[in-house]
Amino acid sequence: MPAYLPRVIINDSTLRDGEQSPGVAFTLEEKLAIAAALEAAGIDEIGAGTPAMGGQELEAIAAMVAQAKTAEVIPWCRMTRTDVEAAVLTGASRVHLSVPVSDRQIHAKFGTGRADVLARIADVVGYARELGLRVSVGGEDASRADLAFLKRVVIVVEEAGGHRFRFADTLGVLDPFGTCDVFRELARETDIELEFHGHDDLGLATANTLASVRGGATHVSVCVLGLGERAGNAPLEEVVTGLGETLGRLTGVNLVQLPALATLVADAACRAIPENKPIVGSMVFSHESGIHVSGLLRDPATYEALDPVRFGRERRIVLGKHSGRAALRSTLRSIGLDCDYERMERLLAEVRARASLTKRPVELADLALMHSASAMEGAV
């Protein structure tokens, strides 16, 4: 990618779409702490919640708006004047207005057709602009909408004064090739900002988000740990890392902050971080396989495409069923121990046997005891 391309803007929806995960409910204190951590990590925009819910939700959004110093806090609204009026009460200077754009959802939600949607956009976006708000518009279920109609929607958004169109793959049905193609088409129709919001029902949310940027998206919507309805949304940590690694695109996110941010959100959501979760999982920089470890000890890049230091993390050699001599010798030396070849073979066999029996790695304390026991056996 050309070096002059602008950085991709990150819109985090953990506090809105992420909280819609079944069973997840953040307190006011948790929302403010997460918002502050998102801002500290360099997130550009925070999707803060739905003002029309009133009460505590309205209070929380207003508190986030007052607290924010660099990140822009953006309330989410339906395409109605009353929702816009509720958003004004938060003190926010921006608003995101969502409207269904697939024929199925238009008919199910409004009982009308495409012309009604276009009229609603022109009316409500214009009204929000009159109230002094900057307006982005989200096309709900855009991935199942007619492309020609989507192009018309984008034009109407622009004519009404909106500055961005968010393409929502609401049901997570897209593939990366189709995502790239549709954004290329939309980018030809307008100069306003284009954003992608992807769900992970097919496990393709990260891939689709990266493909949208390749196709012309300037902004992407994510959630910490991929929280969200059903299978969740595109994970923040995967998207920002993937943008740099696969497309050479920059964001304003500080990668070192991602593990702590993930832990904060996981604790508030009462959800464990899977051990193999990319970037922030406890095992993603851990290695057991003898062949891998042997290569890593010579050159870390042989089996690590990502340097753990970039994320404030450390590489870990784990002793288990698949460990080899190189891993065992390196681990022993890390705790000030060593042994000859014959004893090493006995110890390695014991490590593998114990790991197979317990179905977990052999910890350093256990290894030290095994080493001591093997010394006594040798003496006998």
Side-chain angles (χ1 to χ4, degrees):
M1 288 288 179
Y4 60 81
L5 287 175
R7 68 183 180 88
V8 178
I9 303 301
I10 305 298
N11 178 296
D12 184 273
S13 189
T14 303
L15 295 171
R16 199 272 303 176
D17 211 345
E19 196 184 25
Q20 291 176 190
S21 301
V24 174
F26 299 130
T27 65
L28 173 60
E29 292 74 19
E30 288 168 340
K31 287 189 174 184
L32 291 175
I34 291 170
L38 288 169
E39 185 173 66
I43 298 300
D44 303 287
E45 301 172 350
I46 299 173
T50 308
M53 291 177 64
Q56 294 180 343
E57 185 80 351
L58 201 60
E59 177 189 355
I61 298 171
M64 281 186 268
V65 170
Q67 171 184 273
K69 296 179 176 62
T70 56
E72 297 196 62
V73 177
I74 307 173
W76 184 97
C77 298
R78 296 163 297 184
M79 191 66 69
T80 69
R81 288 190 172 215
T82 54
D83 273 28
V84 171
E85 290 163 359
V88 171
L89 299 177
T90 69
S93 61
R94 296 177 58 179
V95 67
H96 179 77
L97 305 177
S98 180
V99 65
V101 291
S102 69
D103 292 333
R104 181 183 291 271
Q105 287 214 8
I106 293 170
H107 178 74
K109 292 189 173 186
F110 299 150
T112 59
R114 299 177 182 180
D116 176 52
V117 168
L118 297 176
R120 289 172 187 253
I121 292 172
D123 173 60
V124 182
V125 172
Y127 180 61
R129 293 290 294 140
E130 289 174 6
L131 295 178
L133 298 172
R134 290 188 68 209
V135 182
S136 63
V137 171
E140 186 178 8
D141 205 22
S143 48
R144 297 195 297 174
D146 176 70
L147 181 56
F149 177 59
L150 272 185
K151 292 178 179 180
R152 181 60 186 152
V153 166
V154 171
I155 292 171
V156 171
V157 169
E158 185 172 13
E159 291 175 343
H163 69 92
R164 183 187 309 169
F165 176 71
R166 174 187 291 171
F167 181 108
D169 183 17
T170 305
L171 299 186
V173 297
L174 281 178
D175 67 80
F177 307 100
T179 304
C180 185
D181 289 344
V182 74
F183 270 85
R184 282 175 175 161
E185 290 286 337
L186 294 177
R188 294 189 184 104
E189 298 295 319
T190 182
D191 291 325
I192 65 172
E193 300 163 354
L194 295 175
E195 179 180 331
F196 180 73
H197 176 87
H199 280 260
D200 206 31
D201 297 72
L202 295 177
L204 294 171
T206 296
N208 288 336
T209 303
L210 300 180
S212 74
V213 173
R214 184 178 288 276
T218 54
H219 298 60
V220 294
S221 175
V222 296
C223 288
V224 176
L225 294 173
L227 281 182
E229 297 169 285
R230 305 182 312 279
N233 293 265
L236 162 67
E237 55 280 356
E238 295 180 19
V239 168
V240 296
T241 304
L243 283 169
E245 293 298 313
T246 67
L247 299 182
R249 297 295 297 272
L250 299 176
T251 71
V253 177
N254 181 355
L255 301 182
V256 172
Q257 300 286 336
L258 294 179
L261 177 59
T263 299
L264 175 66
V265 171
D267 290 346
C270 295
R271 291 197 173 189
I273 301 175
E275 289 183 343
N276 63 340
K277 187 77 177 71
I279 313 303
V280 296
S282 61
M283 287 294 183
V284 297
F285 294 110
S286 297
H287 306 270
E288 177 186 320
S289 168
I291 295 174
H292 287 205
V293 172
S294 180
L296 280 164
L297 293 174
R298 294 179 176 88
D299 176 4
T302 54
Y303 286 100
E304 279 182 349
L306 300 173
D307 184 348
V309 173
R310 294 175 57 198
F311 307 94
R313 305 195 54 189
E314 295 180 353
R315 179 181 309 108
R316 192 161 71 102
I317 305 301
V318 175
L319 294 180
K321 176 183 176 181
H322 305 95
S323 292
R325 297 176 192 86
L328 180 55
R329 186 174 297 280
S330 175
T331 305
L332 284 171
R333 287 175 174 172
S334 73
I335 55 175
L337 300 174
D338 208 340
C339 56
D340 58 31
Y341 179 83
E342 183 178 341
R343 189 170 158 203
M344 179 76 70
E345 290 299 297
R346 293 199 305 269
L347 195 55
L348 181 58
E350 189 176 351
V351 165
R352 290 173 173 172
R354 179 172 295 200
S356 297
L357 181 64
T358 61
K359 296 184 181 296
R360 63 177 179 82
V362 174
E363 302 296 336
L364 291 180
D366 294 329
L367 179 63
L369 290 174
M370 293 163 63
H371 181 274
S372 178
S374 69
M376 293 177 63
E377 289 175 8
V380 173

